[in-house]
Amino acid sequence: MKRIGTRLAVATTAVVLLLAPAFGQSRSTRAERELFAAMNQSRQQEGLIELRWDESLATAARLHAMVMAKHRSVRHTFENEPDLSARIKETGAHFTWLSENVTQGPAAQSIHEQFMRSPSHRANILDADMNSVGIGVVERDGQLFAVEDFAQLR
């Protein structure tokens, strides 16, 4: 059973990577950089340390953002997709704690504002136990599908 789950996860990752060009995904998008800056500015305003950018987390976030864009839907996990912990492990990151923000919107600034108005998303952004973040944003039909993966990396 474990072997089937592993094969499915690898196949899902391969399919998502093949879809990347269809969604115009590049290494680090402007929207990703804007969300990262806005998130760290919000943390600074609360007297918290800035989170480090982690490319492993960003890879997992981008892959999930591509899946959300493909489905034109926002969820933390889709059918036949690995959960957050498994997605992060697939990228090689070693963590003790994880959380995730997902949404869609027309622009990075409005996405950050949505997150900050939501108590649970705001709590993830301002979690003092986290030390790293990776952000993935994929555009489809004028909408940005955004994923922020937070971790306390070891």
Side-chain angles (χ1 to χ4, degrees), residues 77-89:
T77 306
F78 289 87
E79 187 175 336
N80 297 323
E81 181 188 28
D83 67 9
L84 174 61
S85 178
R87 291 194 311 261
I88 300 300
K89 286 177 184 174

Side-chain angles (χ1 to χ4, degrees), residues 15-26 66 138:
V15 168
V16 169
L17 288 173
L18 289 173
L19 291 173
F23 297 116
Q25 189 61 24
S26 63
M66 283 186 253
V138 173

Side-chain angles (χ1 to χ4, degrees), residues 52-61 84-98 131-134 149-154:
R52 295 187 309 259
W53 180 268
D54 183 82
E55 196 57 38
S56 294
L57 296 174
T59 297
L84 174 61
S85 178
R87 291 194 311 261
I88 300 300
K89 286 177 184 174
E90 285 177 1
T91 67
H94 301 282
F95 57 87
T96 54
W97 192 251
L98 292 172
N131 61 22
S132 302
V133 68
D149 286 339
F150 302 93
Q152 183 183 74
L153 295 180
R154 292 188 236 159

Side-chain angles (χ1 to χ4, degrees), residues 129-146:
D129 291 331
M130 299 300 183
N131 61 22
S132 302
V133 68
I135 299 170
V137 178
V138 173
E139 186 273 332
R140 182 164 190 182
D141 299 331
Q143 283 291 299
L144 299 179
F145 292 83

Side-chain angles (χ1 to χ4, degrees), residues 19-37:
L19 291 173
F23 297 116
Q25 189 61 24
S26 63
R27 199 63 183 145
S28 177
T29 68
R30 179 179 174 175
E32 290 169 356
R33 291 187 301 272
E34 288 175 6
L35 284 171
F36 181 64

